[in-house]
Amino acid sequence: MTSNVHSLERVKLPRMQSDRPDRADVEAAFRTIIEWTGDDPERDGLIDTPARLARAFEEFFAGYAQDPIDILQKTFEETEGYDEMIVLRGIRFESHCEHHMAPIIGRAWVAYVPSGRVVGISKLARVVEVYAKRLQIQEKMTAQVANTINDVLKPQGVGVIIKAEHHCMTTRGVHKPESDLVTSRMLGCFRDNPLTRQEFLSMVD
Ligand SMILES: [Zn+2]
């Protein structure tokens, strides 16, 4: 359960708003795809589909408009010196693979041992969400979540485990349903201290 991704690849945020194709361009592209499948984009059932797809894509990829570093800025310092592990377990997410744009459906376990700065727990879920709502590979997403928490909170350590089903291999390609991919990224005390790592792993089901 190790990730091969060792450095945070800062996502180059997309081009300026003004350079982006507009909604009409996107809807035209979806109409072309429908025609290419062999169907008629003008028939009743499909006439509004390009517009619906454009809205769905806005939702699937909303993470490009959000900065995960901002989400972690507000921290609590009055924690009576709390320095034990904090774990948010089984955070459900939906993402899309960057190779096929097929869904990746999974859960994330996010843990850290603070060093003074503690963040609201919903913020950990939001960081997962922001990275999920971009085109992804699971290994990269795992590293991005861990590295961002590590960079912003500067804790004693961070552990992230993600388990997910990839629809590009369950519903197409090799067609292997019920297989899931497990990735992990351990930093600081989670990497160096076997007891900390073990404590975290015991909380992952
Ligand atoms: Zn794929």
Side-chain angles (χ1 to χ4, degrees), residues 100 102 167-176:
H100 305 92
H167 283 216
C168 62
M169 65 170 285
T170 58
T171 62
R172 61 161 291 289
V174 293
H175 294 277
K176 294 290 175 236

Side-chain angles (χ1 to χ4, degrees), residues 96-104 136 166-169 172:
H96 288 81
C97 81
E98 66 185 34
H99 301 135
H100 305 92
M101 290 178 125
I104 303 172
Q136 277 296 0
H166 289 240
H167 283 216
C168 62
M169 65 170 285
R172 61 161 291 289

